[in-house]
Amino acid sequence: VLNANLGLAQKSNVKKLSDDERMEWWRDSKFGMFIHWGAYSIIGGERGTKIAGGGAEWAMDKLDYTVEEYEKFPEMFNPVMFDADAWVTMAKNAGMKYIVLTSKHHEGFGLWDSKVSDYDVIDKSPFKRDIVKELAEACKKQGIKFCLYYSIVDWHHPQAQGNLFPNYNISQHDDPSVVNPEFPKYYENYMKPQVGELLKNYGDIGVVWFDGDWISDYTTEMGKDLYKYIRDIQPNTIVNNRVDKGRMGMEGMNAEGNFAGDFGTPEQEIPDTGIDSDWEACMTMNGSWGYKPSDNNWKSSEDLIQKLVDIVSKGGNFLLNIGPDGFGRFPAESIRRLDAMGEWTKKNGEAIYGAKASPYDKPKWGRYTQKGNVIYAHVFDWPKDGLLKLNKNIKVKKATVLTDNSNTELSSIATSREVLVDVPMLAPDATVSVVKIELAK
Ligand code: JFZ
């Protein structure tokens, strides 16, 4: 171990942080942007009259394309309207503090110039621009953390995809009795080198976000090896728990045991109670990660703002997805929602960034977040009688409406059974109004 550490110190001049120091920016950030973008963004989940169920990024699998047939999509990938700076600006304006781009999704097509593959945007596509590089540079310039998603599952690579065997469907495959003996070669000679390229050539990577951990060919030994490999290159980067085999279903948190990974990844759902470890809920605005124009099942802006608050009140981060189209545009429906969230976070960000889970029970009217001796009451349902009822063990020193620039103090009364704050009759915000409460010692 000592030798390994010495080797590490030589390789990298970066100061190795403690785990708490390393996680700090991420814990304080609370809100990030997921971007699912690839050759599937051209397809939009449609093949003739057939529409893929669920996520359109699964088009290759769900619309039954063979490996050869599917290759024409990377050959067409030419998103001439892609503007990394504009994307980053939209994320920042929404109040997001980091961006996670799908460098390679299950389809296997890479959005950077990979030396171990010609199935990437430089070698296979007319676009011939390194998307990872452009987005990394735009993030750096605009001061937001750049992060990468990478899929362990690869439906294109011959040693990883399962068409080698009859009745072997690698996309779903989690049957340990069916083994792909080629997979370790894919891991050693392709996947690991690709991850290495992403960590060596694009500056600081905030988070490496793995996915596809469920296939049985991928082992916990590979997961631990990969985690160490990543931290050897970038000691202070953060890696999600899908790097190893410890995740328990959609809840996304780790089972008991020794598994690599720095945070849990519940997907499309928010846990009921606060979890006493690091976690990040990832979610779509409609029902698809990849661009899917047939899916108009958009969550409202109000719902998304309340989801952000709910997640922060339980100690998590919110990674909210955008599926840009094949030209490189964010859908207008997504932009509207980003704008609405930005309007809210600009006014109420104090109650979100750096805030912690509330120790108090979830109130009927909304949620609490906390920073030191300040409690933020996020009110979803504003009281019709103008009296906000707080948990009875909250001792109010001073209460104000967070967005009230005149800082007018609200009066409050505490009885043995309840604490009431005299708030304005009209809700200050149409979505979530925040009452700031300084606690008495
Ligand atoms: C995966 C991908 O298959 C999907 O396309 C998308 O990228 C999403 C973010 O991740 O899907 C998952 C991953 C994990 C679970 C379910 C779907 N899970 O935790 O049960």
Side-chain angles (χ1 to χ4, degrees):
V1 178
L2 186 61
N3 283 339
N5 283 342
L6 286 173
L8 225 171
Q10 278 164 5
K11 251 185 276 170
S12 161
N13 302 319
V14 181
K15 182 178 176 275
K16 200 173 178 191
L17 304 173
S18 72
D19 281 346
D20 280 338
E21 288 168 335
R22 180 169 63 92
M23 297 297 290
E24 192 181 312
W25 73 263
W26 184 87
R27 286 175 182 159
D28 288 347
S29 290
K30 294 296 153 197
F31 191 24
M33 177 183 280
F34 215 168
I35 301 179
H36 274 71
W37 204 36
Y40 48 81
S41 311
I42 297 176
I43 304 169
E46 297 173 20
R47 184 176 190 178
T49 56
K50 246 169 79 181
I51 292 182
E57 71 287 356
W58 277 62
M60 181 173 171
D61 176 80
K62 288 185 180 154
L63 299 175
D64 300 315
Y65 284 105
T66 64
V67 172
E68 295 73 36
E69 281 170 345
Y70 195 84
E71 286 188 354
K72 68 174 179 254
F73 296 111
E75 281 164 15
M76 281 179 215
F77 187 72
N78 196 20
V80 290
M81 293 168 88
F82 170 59
D83 179 345
D85 275 310
W87 282 15
V88 174
T89 301
M90 286 191 276
K92 278 190 77 172
N93 284 342
M96 291 156 157
K97 307 293 184 190
Y98 58 106
I99 293 179
V100 184
L101 172 74
T102 52
S103 63
K104 185 200 84 169
H105 204 267
H106 308 338
E107 64 177 2
F109 174 60
L111 299 185
W112 78 101
D113 185 12
S114 175
K115 302 300 177 206
V116 294
S117 175
D118 52 20
Y119 204 52
D120 66 37
V121 63
I122 300 293
D123 298 313
K124 195 78 178 172
S125 305
F127 195 51
K128 303 213 180 306
R129 278 162 55 187
D130 188 324
I131 289 163
V132 169
K133 182 158 179 264
E134 290 185 24
L135 204 56
E137 282 170 356
C139 284
K140 191 165 183 201
K141 193 168 90 191
Q142 298 193 46
I144 164 168
K145 293 275 183 181
F146 179 62
C147 314
L148 288 169
Y149 165 111
Y150 184 93
S151 171
I152 296 161
V153 167
D154 191 312
W155 294 328
H156 181 264
H157 195 283
Q159 290 170 330
Q161 56 97 3
N163 300 352
L164 297 164
F165 310 99
N167 306 322
Y168 177 105
N169 178 355
I170 192 126
S171 62
Q172 317 286 359
H173 173 52
D174 50 12
D175 176 358
S177 69
V178 189
V179 176
N180 168 7
E182 303 285 306
F183 192 87
K185 294 183 199 156
Y186 156 77
Y187 173 73
E188 273 304 328
N189 305 324
Y190 190 81
M191 182 179 150
K192 202 172 155 182
Q194 282 208 322
V195 171
E197 291 174 343
L198 292 169
L199 284 151
K200 286 171 191 160
N201 301 332
Y202 299 95
D204 288 346
I205 305 299
V207 175
V208 191
W209 212 106
F210 284 101
D211 190 21
D213 52 342
W214 61 82
I215 53 167
S216 56
D217 302 316
Y218 187 68
T219 63
T220 185
E221 288 74 28
M222 291 174 189
K224 288 173 176 61
D225 174 66
L226 190 60
Y227 182 87
K228 183 180 180 306
Y229 177 65
I230 291 168
R231 297 278 311 275
D232 280 352
I233 302 171
Q234 289 205 24
N236 299 326
T237 196
I238 296 169
V239 186
N240 73 338
N241 67 342
R242 297 187 194 190
V243 69
D244 200 345
K245 306 289 280 189
R247 180 174 60 88
M248 299 180 295
M250 291 289 256
E251 276 169 49
M253 302 310 293
N254 267 357
E256 291 292 311
N258 172 28
F259 294 106
D262 298 313
F263 65 90
T265 51
E267 182 178 294
Q268 301 280 31
E269 55 186 75
I270 302 170
D272 274 340
T273 51
I275 299 169
D276 194 26
S277 61
D278 294 303
W279 60 277
E280 174 190 69
C282 55
M283 233 176 258
T284 51
M285 288 187 182
N286 58 1
S288 177
W289 300 95
Y291 176 64
K292 192 179 187 187
S294 62
D295 183 346
N296 289 306
N297 192 19
W298 297 94
K299 297 170 183 82
S300 69
S301 301
E302 179 179 23
D303 185 16
L304 292 170
I305 291 166
Q306 293 184 356
K307 283 185 160 62
L308 171 65
V309 171
D310 186 27
I311 289 164
V312 176
S313 81
K314 293 164 178 171
N317 278 12
F318 190 22
L319 187 64
L320 182 59
N321 183 70
I322 302 288
D325 71 11
F327 291 106
R329 295 175 297 190
F330 285 9
E333 298 280 11
S334 303
I335 295 174
R336 274 208 286 283
R337 283 156 181 78
L338 291 177
D339 282 348
M341 296 189 84
E343 223 180 279
W344 189 85
T345 51
K346 270 183 203 86
K347 289 185 290 184
N348 298 286
E350 181 189 320
I352 295 291
Y353 307 112
K356 301 271 179 274
S358 151
Y360 302 105
D361 287 343
K362 190 164 79 182
K364 286 197 182 65
W365 41 256
R367 299 288 183 273
Y368 296 114
T369 61
Q370 179 162 20
K371 265 188 196 174
N373 70 334
V374 175
I375 294 282
Y376 298 94
H378 296 254
V379 188
F380 300 177
D381 300 307
W382 194 254
K384 293 189 180 56
D385 59 1
L387 291 173
L388 183 67
K389 192 173 168 180
L390 305 179
N391 293 39
K392 65 175 190 307
N393 40 356
I394 293 180
K395 292 195 178 66
V396 181
K397 183 174 154 203
K398 184 183 176 189
T400 53
V401 171
L402 183 59
T403 52
D404 174 16
N405 293 326
S406 67
N407 225 17
T408 306
E409 202 166 329
L410 306 171
S411 52
S412 63
I413 39 164
T415 70
S416 57
R417 263 160 289 122
E418 58 188 8
V419 178
L420 295 171
V421 182
D422 191 354
V423 294
M425 290 304 288
L426 284 181
D429 196 295
T431 53
V432 175
S433 305
V434 182
V435 177
K436 177 176 177 175
I437 297 145
E438 290 172 39
L439 296 176
K441 294 268 151 50

